[in-house]
Amino acid sequence: MHKVIFLFGFYVLPQLLFCQSASIKGILSDSSKQEKIMYAVASVLKQKDTTLVTFSRSDKDGDFKIDHLEPGQYILLITFPKYGDYVEAINLKEKETIDLKNIFLTEKAKLLQEIIIKQAAIRIKGDTTEFAADSFHVKLNATVEDLLKELPGVQVDKNGQITAQGQKVQKVLVDGEEFFSDDPTVATRNLRADAVDKVQVFDKKSDQAEFTGIDDGEKTRTLNLKLKDDAKRGYFGKISAAALDKYYNGQALINAFKGKRKIAVFGIMSSTDQTGLNWQDSRSYGFGGSNVEVDGGSGAVFITPDNNELGTSGYYGQGLPESIKAGLHFSNKWNNDIYNTSENYLFNKLSERSAGNTYRQNILADSVYYDRESANMHSDKMRHSLTGLMEIQLDSSSSLKITANGYAGTDESNRQYNSQALSEENKLVNNSIRNTSSKGDNANLNTSAIWRKKFKKKGRTISINVDEKYTESNSNGYLLNSSDFYNDGNTIFKKDTTDQNKKNNTRNNVIGTKITYTEPLSKKSFLELNYSFYNNSSTQKRLSYNKDINAKYSMLVDSLSNDFKYIYNTSSVGINYRYNAKKYNFSLGGNIANTAFQQTDLVKDTTRKYNYYNFFPRANFSYKFSAFSNISLTYSGNTTQPTIDQLQPLSNNNDPLNIIIGNPSLKQQFQNSFNLNYSNFQLINERFIYLGSYFSFTKDPINSSYTIDALGRKVSRYVNTDGNYSGGIFGGLSIKIPKTNLKVNISPDVTVAKYSNFVNGLKNTTTSTNVSATAGLRVNKKEVYELSISAVPSYNRSKSSLSAAASTHYWSYEYALEGNYLLPLKLEIGSDVRFSFRQKLNAFDNNNDVILWNAYVEKKFMKNDELTFRVSINDILDQNKGYSRTIQPFAIEEKHYLTFQRYALITLTYNFTNKGAEPKPKGMSITL
């Protein structure tokens, strides 16, 4: 037996080793002293998962050699005390010997003068993608928004809206806390990039889910900016002032840190499109109707702006705004982090002048007709907002967290409309001149408290939530409308005049509690039990008055007036199971809920009661292939209740030619949603891939039914339909071309949807498809130039079951070129040009192509370029157009609206810092 083992070891084993005898060798030297380095460790790791294969040490002459390697892709890592690490990707072929010859290591003490860092630019930690900010090149004194544009899988549009891995970011945090609450661009456009250590992208879970580790279905796409430690000492910020002719911009942001205390103050004044009133403010200024959504797991109620197609707000775009926005932020932790507080105050004032026109092709079963409308409007809105948080660690096992936020505001508007309805032969059917005005106030208060306790047994917890949400709005306005109706001979045969005073009051209050208990079944599995009860109470009073013989608005119009009360209570009980393993985790469960409704017409003294039992299933699964790759699958079901606007049996004649009627018989709608996401990052070649898909279908969706009479008047009514669904596939590839500074980004996107409504009593099903792709190139040379190019072709197709005329398809193309170049004497020139090309439709023959070209020249002053003087011109070609195209289930619509055209600004900006976020030392370079 011993002879057999001896023969195997002596003859066979060397032969096997010889078959895989690829090797790596080199000589290690000090980069400055030119001395050989002995006893340094040379390790070989697999590129796929960075596991160690083998290692060796250098000899007295600095030589090292690693033999007996199989063919494949490896990482060579050389480490030695007091020297920076050396990392290189190796692709070994069979029997190949790679001689790296002289490899120079740099002492860590010299890295402050000239540093080369090889590090993981991206890490995937569970559901969080984390970017190391210093791994991405931005110019000195760049903003966080400049940094975000460099991150793979992250896009920032011209309005500051952020899309991360194919999904729109809804919240931006700074060190895990809201920064001035409602406007994330205050952080992204004013905080300095060199103050940021990490950028994290994740789906933020509810406080309850973060505490228990069991997903409750509440998620918000979130971006968190983790500041560097040295940025949390002293102060930093910027002050900027710009003006020329009638245009001006003023911005200031100051951050002051002392230990864990943070104070920040900012202010923005502007008469340009750089107002700071951007993508998030559509929520902040959502003074219209709202949708109420009840989460099946918690019973919690969410109120969101009403974007229902029945709305007649007449919004024509941004217009020409003048704005003031200011805020104060304070946060602190003390007494060994037992107490944690964070507060924000925010003031908004927006005056907007807008004008525009709309051209709409409306679809009937056997014909089409057209609407033309022009409008002028002016609005003034003001709001004071407060948010606060207090978290107390009561003892080592329990805590109490209290949050509150609210606002109080006013809204005043005046609008003038001139509209025409035309037949298929372009003959005049009716025309209308309409003036509306309104003054109102609005308020909101949300409070929440959560008490949490962990027991001695790991995984056993209990928590109690108490929530209340209150909103109120009041308005007093006037409607003056004059309509003429025409016969086939193009002569007026009927006139109609409306002159009314309208008073509205709406209140909504939601209050409830939820109790959650978790019990560990093993070290890896947990069970959650929960119960909740929520009460939703809404009242709405709408009163319309005609003039009496004394020209006073005192005659109540019964058909347009009502006092309506809407109450529903939701009781929910649920169970969820979660299993956590090293590589994967999953959870499944759901809630059974009873919702009892009561609708009361206080004018007619009638009450309608009904209730529903619902099952809200929920499941998710995630698998971690490696530290840089994972996949997740989620499913959830939830209901959306009809709003009081949709239920109230009342005609809304704010536009007498487009009447809207509520429907007290509406059912709640139930939506099933599926999401699948995959992400992968390869360290060596800096390749980032993400793929995602989603699909949702809705039972009893709340849509519309409308009828058109011979006079061209449209009456719309809310109804439940069926068959609605939406879905899509999206993805992205970001890769750095080897041995260059060129980065390539490709992001395809496909969406499909189906929508049902009724037109003159006939069911109309509309299917739509959108296919688009974003392709971009970014290249930079440190302290010399930056250049980016992008193209976004998009194909849109819509098909109606009711009419072939409603079916349409068209292409649109968006191209962008943006760059800057650094000249001697600290001069910089920069420019961006955007091309928008839209294929014409048969319904509209106007050319809506736009080339928008902006440029600037600036000079920097002072030692670290803190002071910048800039001259800029916007829309050099004077071609900017306010334009939008909408394909609706019943119409094809194009809008043109007032927007900014060519103007110039002279800007002076001062970036300052003291002990925090100091500029990188001169000569420092960071590469990957």
Side-chain angles (χ1 to χ4, degrees):
M1 184 65 181
H2 291 287
K3 291 182 179 180
V4 173
I5 296 174
F6 174 80
L7 291 173
F8 179 85
F10 189 80
Y11 292 102
V12 179
L13 189 57
Q15 295 297 321
L16 293 174
L17 293 174
F18 179 79
C19 293
Q20 56 179 25
S21 58
S23 60
I24 304 171
K25 66 179 182 178
I27 305 172
L28 305 181
S29 303
D30 186 293
S31 60
S32 58
K33 301 176 183 177
Q34 303 299 315
E35 296 176 351
K36 304 302 180 186
I37 300 176
M38 58 187 300
Y39 304 133
V41 177
S43 305
V44 175
L45 300 86
K46 290 183 180 180
Q47 282 191 26
K48 182 179 180 180
D49 54 10
T50 66
T51 57
L52 179 66
V53 176
T54 185
F55 69 93
S56 179
R57 292 183 181 272
S58 58
D59 60 21
K60 63 180 180 179
D61 297 318
D63 294 327
F64 75 91
K65 186 176 182 181
I66 303 175
D67 294 314
H68 311 311
L69 295 170
E70 296 180 357
Q73 295 181 328
Y74 298 98
I75 301 171
L76 175 65
L77 172 64
I78 298 174
T79 58
F80 192 70
K82 299 183 180 180
Y83 285 88
D85 297 345
Y86 176 88
V87 181
E88 184 166 343
I90 303 292
N91 189 5
L92 270 179
K93 299 179 181 178
E94 188 174 346
K95 298 182 182 180
E96 180 182 20
T97 297
I98 293 181
D99 187 357
L100 299 173
K101 298 183 180 180
N102 288 316
I103 298 175
F104 295 98
L105 303 184
T106 304
E107 292 184 16
K108 292 180 180 178
K110 298 183 179 295
L111 291 179
L112 291 178
Q113 299 175 1
E114 185 171 358
I115 183 169
I116 298 176
I117 301 177
K118 298 277 186 174
Q119 62 173 315
I122 304 177
R123 288 192 175 96
I124 298 175
K125 300 179 177 180
D127 296 332
T128 300
T129 302
E130 184 178 87
F131 302 89
D134 284 346
S135 297
F136 301 91
H137 168 71
V138 291
K139 60 185 178 182
L140 202 63
N141 296 323
T143 65
V144 168
E145 186 170 292
D146 297 322
L147 171 64
L148 296 179
K149 292 178 180 179
E150 298 293 331
L151 305 184
V154 178
Q155 292 90 38
V156 184
D157 69 15
K158 61 181 180 180
N159 298 317
Q161 170 70 63
I162 305 165
T163 302
Q165 299 160 20
Q167 300 180 53
K168 291 188 181 298
V169 171
Q170 300 168 279
K171 187 180 290 292
V172 174
L173 306 177
V174 177
D175 279 338
E177 298 173 350
E178 288 191 353
F179 196 65
F180 298 112
S181 185
D182 80 330
D183 191 356
T185 56
V186 173
T188 60
R189 288 182 169 173
N190 291 281
L191 285 178
R192 296 165 54 135
D194 55 13
V196 177
D197 181 33
K198 299 285 193 304
V199 178
Q200 298 173 325
V201 177
F202 56 95
D203 287 324
K204 180 175 173 56
K205 300 176 183 178
S206 67
D207 289 338
Q208 179 62 40
E210 290 178 352
F211 175 64
T212 63
I214 299 177
D215 193 357
D216 60 7
E218 296 181 36
K219 292 183 179 180
T220 304
R221 196 64 169 175
T222 302
L223 187 146
N224 182 40
L225 306 172
K226 293 189 67 175
L227 300 183
K228 296 175 181 176
D229 290 337
D230 62 357
K232 300 176 186 178
R233 298 191 300 269
Y235 59 85
F236 70 93
K238 79 172 185 179
I239 299 174
S240 178
L244 192 64
D245 194 18
K246 61 182 178 180
Y247 296 103
Y248 60 86
N249 273 335
Q251 298 183 32
L253 174 67
I254 302 173
N255 300 269
F257 296 85
K258 184 176 181 181
K260 295 180 180 180
R261 187 198 69 190
K262 176 170 62 179
I263 299 175
V265 61
F266 89 98
I268 299 173
M269 294 176 55
S270 179
S271 66
T272 74
D273 51 355
Q274 301 296 316
T275 61
L277 298 163
N278 36 61
W279 56 275
Q280 194 72 8
D281 286 299
S282 61
R283 298 181 179 184
S284 304
Y285 284 115
F287 295 122
S290 60
N291 289 324
V292 181
E293 181 175 347
V294 179
D295 175 71
S298 64
V301 179
F302 304 94
I303 302 174
T304 57
D306 180 12
N307 297 315
N308 192 283
E309 47 123 344
L310 293 175
T312 56
S313 61
Y315 178 66
Y316 282 87
Q318 291 188 353
L320 302 178
E322 285 193 75
S323 67
I324 301 174
K325 193 166 190 176
L328 174 67
H329 171 86
F330 173 84
S331 61
N332 196 12
K333 295 180 180 180
W334 66 94
N335 199 6
N336 295 320
D337 294 350
I338 291 178
Y339 301 98
N340 174 24
T341 186
S342 176
E343 287 83 31
N344 291 286
Y345 166 73
L346 200 63
F347 171 78
N348 289 314
K349 189 176 187 301
L350 173 65
S351 297
E352 182 183 32
R353 178 172 62 88
S354 186
N357 57 77
T358 299
Y359 188 57
R360 183 186 299 111
Q361 182 190 64
N362 299 279
I363 310 301
L364 299 177
D366 53 359
S367 63
V368 298
Y369 73 99
Y370 303 94
D371 286 335
R372 287 195 181 100
E373 182 180 73
S374 61
N376 286 278
M377 57 195 71
H378 181 272
S379 65
D380 290 289
K381 299 174 182 178
M382 184 179 68
R383 174 171 292 182
H384 299 271
S385 304
L386 281 171
T387 65
L389 174 151
M390 171 62 77
E391 190 166 12
I392 304 172
Q393 192 68 36
L394 301 174
D395 53 42
S396 60
S397 64
S398 62
S399 65
L400 176 66
K401 181 178 181 180
I402 301 172
T403 59
N405 63 79
Y407 63 78
T410 60
D411 181 15
E412 182 176 355
S413 66
N414 291 278
R415 296 179 171 89
Q416 298 84 41
Y417 302 91
N418 192 328
S419 64
Q420 293 179 329
L422 305 170
S423 68
E424 192 167 9
E425 295 79 20
N426 267 331
K427 293 183 178 180
L428 193 61
V429 177
N430 65 56
N431 70 353
S432 170
I433 297 175
R434 179 165 49 104
N435 295 289
T436 65
S437 62
S438 176
K439 285 186 178 181
D441 57 75
N442 45 84
N444 166 274
L445 178 62
N446 300 327
T447 58
S448 175
I450 178 171
W451 173 78
R452 297 173 289 195
K453 181 174 179 61
K454 294 182 178 180
F455 295 93
K456 290 183 178 180
K457 187 175 182 179
K458 186 177 181 181
R460 179 180 292 170
T461 68
I462 188 171
S463 60
I464 300 175
N465 294 63
V466 179
D467 305 289
E468 182 174 14
K469 302 177 186 292
Y470 176 81
T471 59
E472 180 177 1
S473 64
N474 298 279
S475 67
N476 185 14
Y478 296 88
L479 167 66
L480 178 61
N481 180 82
S482 176
S483 300
D484 297 329
F485 301 92
Y486 296 79
N487 58 25
D488 290 339
N490 205 32
T491 58
I492 299 174
F493 74 92
K494 178 180 174 63
K495 288 180 175 288
D496 187 24
T497 301
T498 303
D499 185 1
Q500 293 176 344
N501 172 220
K502 293 184 174 294
K503 298 181 179 180
N504 298 319
N505 173 268
T506 302
R507 297 180 182 180
N508 179 262
N509 189 62
V510 182
I511 186 169
T513 186
K514 179 181 179 181
I515 302 173
T516 305
Y517 175 80
T518 64
E519 178 68 23
L521 303 179
S522 68
K523 290 184 178 180
K524 296 182 179 180
S525 60
F526 304 87
L527 192 67
E528 178 199 81
L529 302 172
N530 65 74
Y531 171 77
S532 64
F533 175 82
Y534 280 82
N535 169 267
N536 183 303
S537 176
S538 299
T539 60
Q540 186 173 82
K541 183 181 289 187
R542 287 185 175 179
L543 304 175
S544 293
Y545 296 91
N546 285 333
K547 284 184 176 179
D548 58 23
I549 58 175
N550 297 316
K552 294 183 178 180
Y553 294 99
S554 63
M555 299 176 60
L556 185 69
V557 184
D558 293 338
S559 62
L560 299 174
S561 303
N562 207 342
D563 192 353
F564 198 72
K565 190 172 185 179
Y566 177 39
I567 299 173
Y568 59 87
N569 299 318
T570 300
S571 299
S572 175
V573 60
I575 183 170
N576 295 281
Y577 173 80
R578 181 172 181 84
Y579 184 86
N580 293 323
K582 185 176 181 180
K583 283 284 189 179
Y584 66 92
N585 64 75
F586 68 88
S587 67
L588 55 89
N591 282 61
I592 296 175
N594 172 259
T595 304
F597 298 84
Q598 178 176 307
Q599 299 169 203
T600 304
D601 188 326
L602 299 176
V603 174
K604 298 179 180 179
D605 194 23
T606 60
T607 298
R608 179 173 181 258
K609 296 182 179 181
Y610 55 100
N611 68 82
Y612 292 101
Y613 280 94
N614 287 306
F615 174 56
F616 300 93
R618 187 167 46 251
N620 66 68
F621 173 83
S622 64
Y623 184 84
K624 184 177 181 181
F625 298 100
S626 69
F628 305 101
S629 179
N630 70 350
I631 190 171
S632 65
L633 172 66
T634 63
Y635 162 75
S636 64
N638 60 74
T639 61
T640 301
Q641 314 300 335
T643 68
I644 194 169
D645 283 324
Q646 296 168 336
L647 288 168
Q648 189 171 9
L650 182 70
S651 295
N652 181 338
N653 73 327
N654 288 340
D655 181 354
L657 297 180
N658 293 277
I659 303 295
I660 303 171
I661 301 176
N663 180 4
S665 299
L666 283 178
K667 302 176 184 177
Q668 62 180 0
Q669 64 183 33
F670 188 91
Q671 185 177 59
N672 297 275
S673 300
F674 300 84
N675 290 273
L676 177 65
N677 293 281
Y678 169 79
S679 60
N680 176 277
F681 175 66
Q682 289 193 359
L683 174 65
I684 299 303
N685 58 9
E686 298 178 46
R687 189 190 72 185
F688 183 65
I689 297 175
Y690 64 88
L691 295 170
S693 64
Y694 62 92
F695 182 79
S696 66
F697 60 92
T698 306
K699 180 184 178 183
D700 296 323
I702 300 172
N703 294 325
S704 68
S705 172
Y706 73 90
T707 58
I708 307 293
D709 63 20
L711 300 180
R713 294 176 297 191
K714 184 170 74 172
V715 178
S716 302
R717 180 181 174 88
Y718 296 100
V719 296
N720 293 105
T721 60
D722 58 24
N724 282 22
Y725 67 77
S726 64
I729 300 174
F730 59 89
L733 168 66
S734 176
I735 189 169
K736 182 177 180 182
I737 305 301
K739 300 181 180 180
T740 72
N741 287 326
L742 183 63
K743 296 180 179 179
V744 180
N745 298 280
I746 301 173
S747 304
D749 190 0
V750 179
T751 61
V752 295
K754 182 180 177 182
Y755 177 94
S756 297
N757 70 333
F758 289 88
V759 180
N760 283 351
L762 300 176
K763 185 176 181 179
N764 176 42
T765 300
T766 302
T767 56
S768 62
T769 303
N770 175 270
V771 181
S772 65
T774 301
L777 299 175
R778 294 185 70 87
V779 63
N780 64 70
K781 186 174 182 180
K782 183 174 174 58
E783 305 302 334
V784 179
Y785 65 82
E786 294 178 349
L787 179 66
S788 66
I789 304 172
S790 66
V792 187
S794 177
Y795 175 74
N796 295 271
R797 184 177 184 273
S798 178
K799 185 177 181 180
S800 169
S801 65
L802 191 63
S803 171
S807 301
T808 185
H809 58 90
Y810 65 92
W811 284 90
S812 64
Y813 305 89
E814 300 283 341
Y815 304 99
L817 175 64
E818 181 178 0
N820 60 72
Y821 191 87
L822 276 72
L823 300 169
L825 303 177
K826 294 188 177 182
L827 283 170
E828 178 182 317
I829 57 174
S831 181
D832 66 89
V833 57
R834 300 179 184 276
F835 305 85
S836 298
F837 302 129
R838 307 174 182 95
Q839 182 180 351
K840 295 180 183 179
L841 300 178
N842 293 332
F844 316 108
D845 56 3
N846 292 330
N847 184 353
N848 296 298
D849 297 340
V850 172
I851 301 176
L852 184 59
W853 180 23
N854 308 315
Y856 70 87
V857 57
E858 69 179 27
K859 179 174 174 57
K860 294 181 172 62
F861 299 90
M862 304 178 68
K863 182 179 179 181
N864 292 311
D865 300 346
E866 292 98 333
L867 187 64
T868 302
F869 176 80
R870 170 184 286 208
V871 178
S872 60
I873 303 178
N874 294 269
D875 189 18
I876 295 173
L877 303 179
D878 202 23
Q879 288 192 6
N880 195 22
K881 298 178 182 179
Y883 171 81
S884 67
R885 176 185 290 170
T886 306
I887 308 298
Q888 299 174 342
F890 56 86
I892 305 168
E893 181 180 273
E894 286 196 343
K895 288 185 178 182
H896 298 265
Y897 48 84
L898 186 66
T899 190
F900 287 99
Q901 293 185 298
R902 182 167 52 203
Y903 68 91
L905 286 175
I906 297 174
T907 307
L908 192 66
T909 302
Y910 177 59
N911 284 276
F912 56 89
T913 181
N914 176 31
K915 294 184 180 180
E918 296 180 352
K920 302 177 181 69
K922 189 175 181 180
M924 178 178 183
S925 64
I926 294 181
T927 60
L928 295 174

